[in-house]
Amino acid sequence: MARKGKNPERREINPAVTRLSAATPFAITEAYKIVRTNLLYSLASSKSKVVLMSSALPNEGKSTTCANLAITMAQTAARVLLIDADLRKCTQHKIFKLNNSKGLSRLLVGFDTLTDALHQEVEPNLDIITAGPQPPNPSELLGSENMAVLLDKLKEHYDLIIIDTPPINVVSDALVLTSESAGVVLVARQKQTTYEELNKAIDSLRFAKANIAGVVLTGVREETKLGSYRAYKSYDYEYGKG
């Protein structure tokens, strides 16, 4: 999965050019379908409809993976909502080319209504709430009663809610949402994410009593015959419990 040793120089990833489309290579599209299938199986017994996507550190492909997994899930005819809860460094509005002047941050403090913040049918069966302007207190907003009430309301209308959250080793924002979720999917980048960084994120999730649904490895070279995104790995299989 990830390398031991010191963290190499991080590459900036441009998310605006990596959204799934008809022109996406077959191997990449199929890899996302494998992730979708395995995730649906792993969460089948959960009563929650919320899945968190995160990573250990920035620039590991988290937001792109999150966006494309949401698209892939919506292709099953399920009603899917993607929420950009990375209130510090939001990306989903760039990937989907949406207006971000209204969004989650303003919705949670009452400046916007759900109708104002919701982008409907961005893709077939896929709605999106962008992050909105950066607030001064992201962790407090995400951990607020308003966020819990909002998710309860949204669960009534969607089959699946996928939330893009900030990197776990950088800020605690993702951890405050774990109690509302069925599981957390971690994203790691080949030849960039280290075991040390990934294990630190896993330890934080364990401490928060989160269900780690699996790990997606991005940036895999084409000679692996899996395209740019490697198939989903279950947490227990990849890391063990020892």
Side-chain angles (χ1 to χ4, degrees):
M1 280 287 314
R3 298 193 304 144
K4 294 181 179 179
K6 294 183 178 179
N7 185 34
E9 182 180 354
R10 297 190 171 274
R11 296 166 290 166
E12 289 291 334
I13 309 300
N14 180 3
V17 296
T18 50
R19 176 178 166 186
L20 285 180
S21 68
T24 302
F26 174 81
I28 296 177
T29 301
E30 287 303 302
Y32 274 110
K33 290 181 179 179
I34 293 172
V35 175
R36 176 185 69 192
T37 300
N38 287 328
L39 182 58
L40 288 174
Y41 271 112
S42 69
L43 300 177
S45 61
S46 175
K47 295 181 180 179
S48 176
K49 300 179 178 181
V50 179
V51 175
L52 305 184
M53 299 284 293
S54 193
S55 59
L57 292 171
N59 303 320
E60 295 180 340
K62 167 186 64 70
S63 293
T64 300
T65 302
C66 187
N68 289 334
L69 180 59
I71 292 172
T72 307
M73 286 290 188
Q75 290 171 352
T76 67
R79 290 295 303 162
V80 179
L81 174 66
L82 171 59
I83 300 177
D84 192 345
D86 193 340
L87 301 181
R88 303 168 193 266
K89 192 176 180 181
C90 51
T91 304
Q92 296 302 331
H93 68 287
K94 298 177 183 177
I95 296 176
F96 289 95
K97 299 180 180 179
L98 300 172
N99 187 330
N100 192 44
S101 61
K102 299 179 179 180
L104 182 63
S105 61
R106 289 174 55 87
L107 176 59
L108 291 177
V109 296
F111 291 160
D112 293 338
T113 65
L114 181 56
T115 301
D116 293 331
L118 188 66
H119 298 269
Q120 295 182 298
E121 292 291 318
V122 177
E123 296 263 346
N125 302 312
L126 176 61
D127 295 348
I128 297 176
I129 296 177
T130 61
Q134 182 175 343
N137 56 340
S139 293
E140 289 77 7
L141 282 181
L142 295 178
S144 68
E145 180 66 19
N146 286 351
M147 183 66 178
V149 171
L150 174 64
L151 289 176
D152 284 342
K153 181 178 180 180
L154 293 170
K155 289 173 189 176
E156 298 175 2
H157 301 282
Y158 293 95
D159 300 309
L160 183 67
I161 300 171
I162 301 176
I163 304 181
D164 183 5
T165 63
I168 291 171
N169 294 353
V170 178
V171 291
S172 63
D173 299 16
L175 300 177
V176 302
L177 289 171
T178 56
S179 62
E180 302 288 340
S181 72
V184 181
V185 176
L186 283 172
V187 176
R189 179 168 290 277
Q190 188 182 53
K191 296 186 177 180
Q192 176 169 304
T193 308
T194 66
Y195 280 118
E196 181 180 4
E197 291 163 350
L198 196 55
N199 283 329
K200 182 179 178 182
I202 288 169
D203 287 343
S204 295
L205 289 170
R206 279 176 173 169
F207 185 78
K209 294 180 170 52
N211 173 34
I212 303 174
V215 177
V216 176
L217 183 63
T218 66
V220 178
R221 296 178 64 85
E222 286 191 14
E223 54 262 32
T224 63
K225 299 183 180 180
L226 285 171
S228 296
Y229 294 86
R230 190 168 184 175
Y232 170 104
K233 297 289 186 180
S234 75
Y235 167 71
D236 288 343
Y237 174 82
E238 192 68 19
Y239 296 101
K241 292 187 176 180

